[in-house]
Amino acid sequence: MRLFEGTAWDRPPRCERCGELEEACTCPPPLKVLTPPDKQTARLAVEKRKKGKVVTVVRGLAENENDLPTLLGQLKAACGAGGTMKDDELEIQGDHLERLRSLLAEIGYRVRG
C-alpha cells in the first residue's frame, strides 16, 4: 500500500474547468486582470548603493496587477540604462528621476516623489 493511496495527492492533477488531465487539457490559460495605470501610484526615489552607485527606484506597483517586466523594458529603453526587478520594485541604474517621472505620467500612472 502506498502512503497517499486514495487521497488527492495520489491522483494526477486535473483541469478545474474541463476536468481533463492537466497534460491533456486544451483550455486557454486564464487571462491576467491588470489594473489600469490611472488607478495606481508609482513612488520614485533615488538611492545610493554600495561603492557610490546611484539607482532610481520605482515602488508602489503590485506585480500581480501589472506587467512589470514589460514596463521595466520600456523604462530601461527610454533611459538608455540597465535595470532589474526585485520583488515589487523596479531599479534603473543612474539618476533618471525626471525622465521616469514624465514617462510614467505619460503612460498614465500617478507619480509621487
Side-chain angles (χ1 to χ4, degrees):
M1 184 165 155
R2 292 188 312 250
L3 181 61
F4 293 112
E5 187 173 344
T7 65
W9 293 282
D10 183 46
R11 297 180 211 117
R14 296 193 171 271
C15 176
E16 294 177 1
R17 289 181 268 171
C18 66
E20 292 289 325
L21 292 175
E22 283 187 357
E23 295 85 28
C25 177
T26 58
C27 296
L31 295 176
K32 188 175 181 181
V33 178
L34 302 177
T35 304
D38 60 343
K39 296 189 188 267
Q40 301 179 61
T41 302
R43 290 175 175 75
L44 300 177
V46 176
E47 297 178 356
K48 205 171 208 180
R49 297 286 190 239
K50 293 180 183 178
K51 300 181 184 178
K53 303 291 182 181
V54 177
V55 295
T56 306
V57 182
V58 180
R59 293 185 180 98
L61 304 177
E63 187 173 2
N64 58 351
E65 298 174 0
N66 292 292
D67 189 10
L68 291 184
T70 303
L71 179 61
L72 178 63
Q74 290 176 348
L75 299 179
K76 288 179 0 181
C79 295
T84 187
M85 184 172 67
K86 293 183 180 175
D87 300 324
D88 286 348
E89 295 181 354
L90 303 177
E91 293 183 358
I92 308 293
Q93 297 172 354
D95 185 359
H96 300 284
L97 189 66
E98 293 302 321
R99 187 174 294 159
L100 290 180
R101 181 179 290 139
S102 64
L103 183 62
L104 288 170
E106 182 180 307
I107 293 172
Y109 291 100
R110 289 178 277 166
V111 180
R112 297 186 107 188

